[in-house]
Amino acid sequence: MHELIGDITLCILFAWVLGLAAQFLRQPSILAYLVAGFAIGPFGAGWVKSQDSISVISELGLIFMLFMIGLEIDLKKIIRAGPVILIAGGVQLLGGAALGLIFFIAIGMRLGGGSYDALYLCIACALSSTVIIVKVLYEKHELDTLPGRITLGVLVLQDVFAILFLAVQPSLDDLHLSVILLSFVRAGALVATALLLSRYVLPPLFRRIARSPELILLGALAWCFLIGEIAERLQLSREMGSLIAGVSLSTFPYALDVTAKVTSLRDFFITLFFVALGMTIPIPNLSVVGLALVIALFTVASRLITTFAPLYLMRQGLRASLLPAINLAQISEFSLVIIQTGIAAGHLRGATSSAASFAFVVLAVLSTFAIVRSDPIVRRAIPRLKQLGLRDLGRIAATDEAEDSHAAARRVVILGFFRTASALLSEIERKHPTLLSQIGVVDFNPVVFRTLSERGIQVTYGDISHVDTLVHAGIGKAELIILSIPDSLLKGANNERLVRHVRSINATAKIVATADLLADVKDLYDAGADYVTVPRLSDATVLLDLIKAADAGLLSERRAEIDTMLVERREVLP
């Protein structure tokens, strides 16, 4: 016991030190934890040698990690997901797994006879890293963009796919149709039991302890281990049970509260899991490094094929098809979990596991850089794709020299279309519908392009940061030009630069721009803007008005007015 405590102390200490270094170098913290584990493990300095310690640390970390992944799987979002996300996710998963199986068997990986290296690698390569993707997209303010929503939707479907594989995984050595069906029946029974208990039994219990944070935390942990033990008795696995425990709580009224309480504990045990995983990575030989590079190259290539192709065929445009493919081009931390369960079950060789871990490290570094730089990467890639004969949406697209016709000029042009522009258009439809024929929109969101086209509003599909797009969209003849997207959401430009571009094309038009910061207002006026909106000032005016309404007892009347207005609105981006 004392040896285990000492080993955990070393794990946390080295994870912290290398985590600080990773933060300074802007690298994923998971990478730091793997390196920390390798450094202190039996293949590194050898300070942690006990296989029992490594096994206990790894299993505890794995159980908590899967429990938290389950808590973050929103079943309602899967049900509400549009056909684009469902089809793209299905093709990416099934297509990626099928390509992986064919590829890895072709290069000599085993499948059958108690060895399933090819199968585990094809599943591992079909999954992407939720931790890396969500962190970088959040920092880039891209979670709520169309490519961001597609990426997150695919990630959720990948988690469901992994759950199904974990249900079958214990029975791989004796895999028949009856065994598969029995595994799914057991998993279905476990899911149904967990969902029913979380719906009808847990709520009254948690209501009683809602004001006791320590009891909420303890109740969540008890639930995790209870479902894990039931799964073990059903011949599934504790790991799968902890995942289902989390999924069942994700629909729970107290899910956010539970997640908040368990987060710190989650981070502790996830750190332990990846440090323990790093301890199992031996010093690689050339064959392991070679296989890791092959796995990494296949993962990137398969994402481009299985993600870009279905999105492009569903007419999402080159940009919205390429960005999710770049976002998803890495191996998931969940892949390492699956690989570890395979090692524990004796289904694959240690060399294969080491190669997959090295491929994860390589792709974690490269894909973080690629996601951060995804916008310029896509800008350079689109012209080359057009040279190969791929067409973008719309008659006019940025940098498309083949299109020489100019859009019919509109008096009012909205550059970039997000929620503020959507609300403006709805307001015009309600109060000044005759103005719609005088409005033109320029944006590269395929949903916006199709919806506005169907409503008879002129829309140019293109990148507003390109001067060619502005020229072809008829900016030179417009009388009023509106820039309603804040700098934090613009890609490849900012409002000041856009104002300068617009002013160089049209010297007489009135330009309305948007400022994130008060300090930006003067710069925008100096660039040529005629009026600058600062959204937080108008928001503050509304909130002050609501404070006065509340003091006068008129808040319910104001809410009724807003409710009536919301019913009448028909926005492009709800």
Side-chain angles (χ1 to χ4, degrees):
M1 177 59 71
H2 293 294
E3 184 179 17
L4 176 61
I5 294 173
D7 291 342
I8 290 177
T9 302
L10 279 173
C11 289
I12 296 301
L13 179 62
F14 272 79
W16 177 63
V17 171
L18 291 178
L20 291 175
Q23 187 177 40
F24 177 76
L25 297 171
R26 297 182 63 82
Q27 294 301 318
S29 55
I30 291 173
L31 176 59
Y33 303 154
L34 288 171
V35 174
F38 175 79
I40 64 176
F43 300 103
W47 293 333
V48 177
K49 297 179 180 178
S50 170
Q51 292 301 317
D52 289 338
S53 290
I54 295 172
S55 176
V56 170
I57 292 170
S58 177
E59 187 170 6
L60 278 173
L62 182 53
I63 287 172
F64 276 98
M65 180 177 170
L66 289 174
F67 179 56
M68 292 306 299
I69 287 175
L71 275 173
E72 292 166 3
I73 294 177
D74 192 337
L75 295 178
K76 293 178 183 177
K77 286 185 178 179
I78 298 175
I79 295 171
R80 290 197 305 262
V84 168
I85 293 176
L86 292 174
I87 293 171
V91 173
Q92 186 272 313
L93 281 167
L94 300 178
L99 285 176
L101 197 59
I102 294 168
F103 175 79
F104 289 118
I105 290 175
I107 65 172
M109 293 286 104
R110 300 175 184 176
L111 182 64
S115 216
Y116 301 96
D117 298 62
L119 178 62
Y120 276 90
L121 284 179
C122 84
I123 298 297
C125 290
L127 305 178
S128 304
S129 173
T130 302
V131 172
I132 293 172
I133 292 170
V134 171
K135 181 177 183 295
V136 179
L137 291 186
Y138 175 79
E139 292 173 351
K140 291 182 69 184
H141 305 285
E142 290 186 7
L143 284 173
D144 202 29
T145 63
L146 177 65
R149 289 196 301 273
I150 291 173
T151 301
L152 293 180
V154 172
L155 286 173
V156 172
L157 292 175
Q158 287 180 354
D159 289 338
V160 175
F161 179 75
I163 292 172
L164 295 177
F165 178 76
L166 287 175
V168 175
Q169 183 258 349
S171 307
L172 283 178
D173 288 325
D174 185 29
L175 201 58
H176 302 291
L177 181 60
S178 59
V179 174
I180 295 174
L181 291 175
L182 182 59
S183 296
F184 281 127
V185 168
R186 288 171 176 163
L190 183 62
V191 170
T193 301
L195 288 174
L196 287 172
L197 289 175
S198 68
R199 174 112 185 231
Y200 297 107
V201 177
L202 293 185
L205 292 176
F206 272 78
R207 274 196 296 270
R208 288 180 175 274
I209 61 173
R211 295 185 180 181
S212 302
E214 69 279 4
L215 288 180
I216 288 180
L217 174 60
L218 193 59
L221 297 181
W223 176 252
C224 172
F225 283 104
L226 172 64
I227 301 300
E229 283 304 311
I230 293 174
E232 184 75 10
R233 300 297 170 87
L234 290 174
Q235 298 179 4
L236 294 168
S237 66
R238 289 188 180 90
E239 290 81 5
M240 184 180 180
S242 64
L243 184 64
I244 290 173
V247 171
S248 64
L249 282 188
S250 69
T251 60
F252 185 55
Y254 297 91
L256 289 177
D257 196 29
V258 170
T259 303
K261 298 292 188 300
V262 180
T263 295
S264 56
L265 199 61
R266 170 203 67 181
D267 293 340
F268 174 75
F269 281 103
I270 284 179
T271 300
L272 287 182
F273 169 72
F274 283 107
V275 172
L277 182 59
M279 293 180 198
T280 65
I281 301 176
I283 297 174
N285 53 38
L286 287 178
S287 64
V288 169
V289 172
L291 179 57
L293 294 177
V294 168
I295 293 171
L297 287 172
F298 169 78
T299 300
V300 174
S302 67
R303 286 298 188 283
L304 291 173
I305 294 170
T306 60
T307 304
F308 172 79
L311 289 171
Y312 178 76
L313 292 174
M314 288 187 287
R315 295 186 57 77
Q316 296 304 300
L318 292 176
R319 186 177 186 276
S321 301
L322 272 173
L323 282 174
I326 293 172
N327 293 340
L328 294 164
Q330 73 286 123
I331 292 175
S332 171
E333 56 279 351
F334 210 158
S335 300
L336 301 184
V337 170
I338 288 174
I339 292 287
Q340 282 303 107
T341 62
I343 287 287
H347 288 163
L348 71 162
R349 296 172 299 156
T352 303
S353 172
S354 298
S357 298
F358 278 109
F360 171 85
V361 170
V362 170
L363 289 175
V365 175
L366 295 180
S367 105
T368 300
F369 174 80
I371 298 174
V372 169
R373 302 284 300 164
S374 62
D375 194 62
I377 291 172
V378 167
R379 290 174 192 276
R380 286 194 292 268
I382 285 177
R384 289 171 174 77
L385 290 173
K386 289 178 179 176
Q387 290 172 3
L388 295 174
L390 297 178
R391 293 185 61 82
D392 214 338
L393 292 181
R395 293 164 293 141
I396 302 167
T399 70
D400 192 345
E401 300 297 336
E403 297 288 353
D404 198 32
S405 59
H406 286 229
R410 288 293 188 269
R411 189 173 70 83
V412 180
V413 177
I414 301 172
L415 294 184
F417 195 94
F418 201 54
R419 292 206 172 95
T420 300
S422 177
L424 171 63
L425 205 62
S426 177
E427 203 68 13
I428 291 171
E429 283 182 320
R430 290 176 60 245
K431 297 181 178 178
H432 303 284
T434 56
L435 186 58
L436 291 176
S437 61
Q438 303 175 46
I439 290 178
V441 174
V442 186
D443 196 77
F444 51 33
N445 185 327
V447 174
V448 168
F449 177 79
R450 280 194 298 272
T451 307
L452 293 182
S453 297
E454 290 167 0
R455 294 188 185 183
I457 298 169
Q458 187 201 69
V459 55
T460 300
Y461 182 88
D463 188 342
I464 61 174
S465 67
H466 287 174
V467 176
D468 285 347
T469 301
L470 303 180
V471 172
H472 287 305
I475 291 296
K477 298 179 181 179
E479 297 177 18
L480 176 63
I481 298 163
I482 299 173
L483 306 170
S484 64
I485 299 182
D487 287 347
S488 59
L489 295 176
L490 284 172
K491 303 302 170 190
N494 56 37
N495 274 277
E496 181 185 350
R497 193 182 312 167
L498 285 174
V499 169
R500 293 186 187 279
H501 286 168
V502 171
R503 186 55 77 203
S504 69
I505 298 169
N506 189 326
T508 60
K510 301 299 181 184
I511 301 175
V512 177
T514 300
D516 284 338
L517 305 175
L518 297 179
D520 295 336
V521 175
K522 184 179 182 303
D523 293 336
L524 288 168
Y525 281 129
D526 291 342
D530 295 283
Y531 189 87
V532 178
T533 67
V534 185
R536 67 182 183 184
L537 298 183
S538 55
D539 290 344
T541 301
V542 171
L543 291 172
L544 178 59
D545 186 48
L546 289 176
I547 290 174
K548 293 178 180 178
D551 289 341
L554 300 174
L555 201 59
S556 58
E557 285 82 352
R558 293 297 176 86
R559 175 179 171 177
E561 292 172 8
I562 291 294
D563 289 344
T564 302
M565 185 187 300
L566 291 176
V567 170
E568 296 172 355
R569 297 184 80 83
R570 194 169 63 103
E571 291 206 19
V572 177
L573 300 174

